[in-house]
Amino acid sequence: LINGTSELRRKWIDSILGQVDKQYLEHLMHYQRILLQRNAWLKLQAVKPTGNYTELDFYNAELDIDGAYIHEQRAEFLINFLPLLNNFYHLLTNGKEATEVSYSSDLAQKTLAVWLQQSLQHDLRYQRTLKGIHKDDWEFSINGLALKQFGSQGQKKSFLFALKLAQYTYLSKTSGHLPILLLDDIFEKLDQNRMEALLRIIQSDD
């Protein structure tokens, strides 16, 4: 989640929202299906241009609807999730470090319909859709510095536990059911204070 690609972070977010929002899952699956069809159309145009943009207009309209909903829910999720994350990281580190998560999305600047229209020539050249929520990413920071590039192994491990604890809490509050919390190698790369803090959180009834 921290050192990997943006695709891993998107899948993690999607796995959470897909459990609590049926519409989100439906929009996501439809978006992915239409995206494949649009990319296939782009590749076909590179081999045998037809000059017929009727299919493309349909794909663009569908992606715009799905993308808008997905982007809105991802942004709202971060608003609700970030306080949980900050709280758990604060408990793990005794409040010595400040965390931040920034959500990067093309749709924060323009609607997907506008992006798809403006980037068509680039899409045709590269034979794939270059703009959309399938390019979204989240950057994790501690004290204003990107965790992926500048975080220590201990900071990354603490942040990961805070993510998982926040995910557990978010799902339990949103769904009304207690999920199963699985934590592996919890003592590796953590100092004594953080290990004790983590155990206190896990053992707590809150």
Side-chain angles (χ1 to χ4, degrees), residues 8-162:
L8 295 173
R9 288 181 284 277
R10 284 193 300 273
K11 286 184 176 180
W12 178 66
I13 297 290
D14 292 339
S15 71
I16 297 173
L17 290 175
Q19 293 181 64
V20 299
D21 185 348
K22 182 180 178 181
Q23 274 190 288
Y24 181 90
L25 188 58
E26 291 174 349
H27 277 290
L28 181 65
M29 293 174 64
H30 188 254
Y31 180 95
Q32 292 171 341
R33 185 166 64 252
I34 297 297
L35 181 63
L36 289 174
Q37 294 173 345
R38 188 179 192 271
N39 288 343
W41 183 90
L42 292 169
K43 291 176 183 178
L44 180 63
Q45 295 305 305
V47 177
K48 188 179 179 180
T50 63
N52 187 347
Y53 287 79
T54 303
E55 284 185 56
L56 180 66
D57 292 340
F58 171 77
Y59 298 147
N60 289 356
E62 294 293 297
L63 291 175
D64 182 53
I65 294 172
D66 292 326
Y69 184 87
I70 293 167
H71 175 260
E72 181 182 351
Q73 296 308 308
R74 286 177 176 176
E76 184 177 341
F77 165 77
L78 184 58
I79 293 173
N80 296 321
F81 184 81
L82 194 54
L84 301 175
L85 173 66
N86 289 337
N87 176 61
F88 282 118
Y89 195 83
H90 177 88
L91 293 173
L92 285 171
T93 62
N94 199 26
K96 296 178 180 178
E97 299 167 342
T99 59
E100 184 179 350
V101 179
S102 59
Y103 173 31
S104 174
S105 176
D106 294 326
L107 271 67
Q109 304 168 22
K110 306 173 186 176
T111 65
L112 186 50
V114 173
W115 275 122
L116 293 176
Q117 183 179 14
Q118 292 181 346
S119 63
L120 177 57
Q121 295 307 312
H122 292 292
D123 291 352
L124 286 168
R125 185 179 302 117
Y126 291 97
Q127 300 176 38
R128 64 180 184 274
T129 306
L130 300 174
K131 297 292 185 179
I133 56 94
H134 58 288
K135 297 293 185 179
D136 287 0
D137 198 5
W138 291 261
E139 183 177 68
F140 306 134
S141 303
I142 293 181
N143 292 337
L145 297 176
L147 184 59
K148 183 176 182 178
Q149 287 83 12
F150 302 103
S152 67
Q153 290 300 313
Q155 287 176 319
K156 290 179 180 180
K157 197 66 177 281
S158 299
F159 195 91
L160 181 60
F161 283 136

